[in-house]
Amino acid sequence: MSVAEPWLLAGRAFTSRLLLGTSRYPDAATLLEAIDASGAEIVTVSIRRMRLQGGTGESILELIPRDRLALLPNTAGCMTAKDAVLTAHLAREALETDWIKLEVIGDDRTLFPDVEQTLRAASELVRDGFQVFAYTNDDPVACRKLADLGVAAVMPLGAPIGSGAGLRNPYNLRIIRELVQDAPVIVDAGIGTASDAARAMELGMDGVLLNTAVAEAQRPAQMARAMRLAIEAGMLARDAGRIPERLYAQASSPTEGLIGT
């Protein structure tokens, strides 16, 4: 399989499997450089933390080239289904998009999702015609329930938001991949470096969404390119079919016909 082969997400075809956040960058120039280096075709923006119009200073919307990048507004900062639904409707009106990355946080220290509120909000938003990208825990049951609701993508965390801890529970991610066959599965949050992104793809994920790992790297654009290459490498390795893991050694050279035998 070619890494450039298009894949479908919310009814649209994309080549890149890296979705990139737009917060925490030191300046606008660095953000744009990182986006270009990443090859991302989808970027996320926080509706509750951005200036949509008016005021002074440059808006994030004025920076992002929307002719070649799809905007994925998110409900970051919401802690109830009611707030998330309201934020999604504001995003649809302001940005003229039915896409929404649903985040409903249950604890402001760990930033773990509130699964009950997430399911409630997802159900309402799907009924309202949104393409819901649902961020949730790495809980196979919760992920299956979200897929059953008809979300556009199920997005289990790799580790807590901004932690850079990598994939803390790859076993659950494998189970999620097995249980969710009818919706894209995208690892969201916790990615720290390129090997984490490669591992996610090797586990069968359809894509990776990350922000802090690039935005707070010492050289963001270089890290963005590393993530791009890692996702391609992980996908290629998965499709190539790895060798089985063995308890004991196995000689790589044939033993027949050796001198002295």
Side-chain angles (χ1 to χ4, degrees):
M1 176 183 289
S2 168
V3 294
E5 182 176 333
W7 65 303
L8 291 177
L9 189 60
R12 297 175 59 180
F14 296 95
T15 300
S16 174
R17 292 174 181 262
L18 173 59
L19 291 72
L20 196 64
T22 56
S23 65
R24 297 183 176 273
Y25 287 85
D27 51 61
T30 302
L31 166 62
L32 295 176
E33 187 181 7
I35 291 174
D36 286 341
S38 73
E41 298 167 295
I42 302 171
V43 295
T44 66
V45 292
S46 174
I47 293 301
R48 290 168 64 92
R49 296 169 183 162
M50 69 184 293
R51 180 177 62 82
L52 294 174
Q53 57 187 7
T56 60
E58 195 170 27
S59 166
I60 187 70
L61 297 180
E62 297 168 342
L63 294 173
I64 295 174
R66 298 184 64 182
D67 58 328
R68 62 182 180 86
L69 292 174
L71 280 184
L72 176 58
N74 66 52
T75 64
C78 293
M79 300 191 75
T80 67
K82 180 180 179 180
D83 284 346
V85 169
L86 173 61
T87 301
H89 281 275
L90 290 173
R92 181 156 68 180
E93 181 177 350
L95 303 179
E96 299 181 337
T97 179
D98 289 329
W99 282 25
I100 193 71
K101 182 192 169 193
L102 175 62
E103 296 183 28
V104 187
I105 301 303
D107 176 76
D108 58 9
R109 182 179 182 188
T110 65
L111 300 182
F112 280 126
D114 184 318
V115 174
E116 178 185 3
Q117 295 291 310
T118 298
L119 288 167
R120 185 177 303 172
S123 178
E124 185 170 344
L125 290 171
V126 169
R127 287 197 305 270
D128 289 344
F130 283 89
Q131 296 284 353
V132 179
F133 295 66
Y135 169 66
T136 188
N137 292 321
D138 55 351
D139 176 356
V141 175
C143 289
R144 180 63 259 174
K145 287 183 176 181
L146 285 165
D148 289 342
L149 288 174
V151 299
V154 177
M155 307 181 77
L157 57 80
I161 293 173
S163 68
L167 306 183
R168 300 302 297 269
N169 199 336
Y171 307 101
N172 275 23
L173 293 177
R174 288 179 61 186
I175 296 171
I176 290 168
R177 177 72 282 177
E178 289 184 11
L179 291 180
V180 180
Q181 296 289 325
D182 49 350
V185 179
I186 300 171
V187 167
D188 178 12
I191 297 293
T193 190
S195 57
D196 300 328
R199 180 62 171 146
M201 299 308 292
E202 290 172 357
L203 289 170
M205 302 299 104
D206 293 294
V208 174
L209 190 154
L210 56 87
N211 185 172
T212 309
V214 168
E216 295 190 355
Q218 294 181 31
R219 288 176 286 278
Q222 184 171 323
M223 182 61 80
R225 182 169 183 267
M227 293 296 184
R228 175 182 186 172
L229 295 174
I231 287 174
E232 293 178 0
M235 187 174 174
L236 283 172
R238 179 184 75 206
D239 293 334
R242 64 156 291 151
I243 64 170
E245 295 185 36
R246 302 182 178 94
L247 181 60
Y248 295 102
Q250 176 175 287
S252 57
S253 299
T255 57
E256 295 81 5
L258 294 179
I259 296 175
T261 59

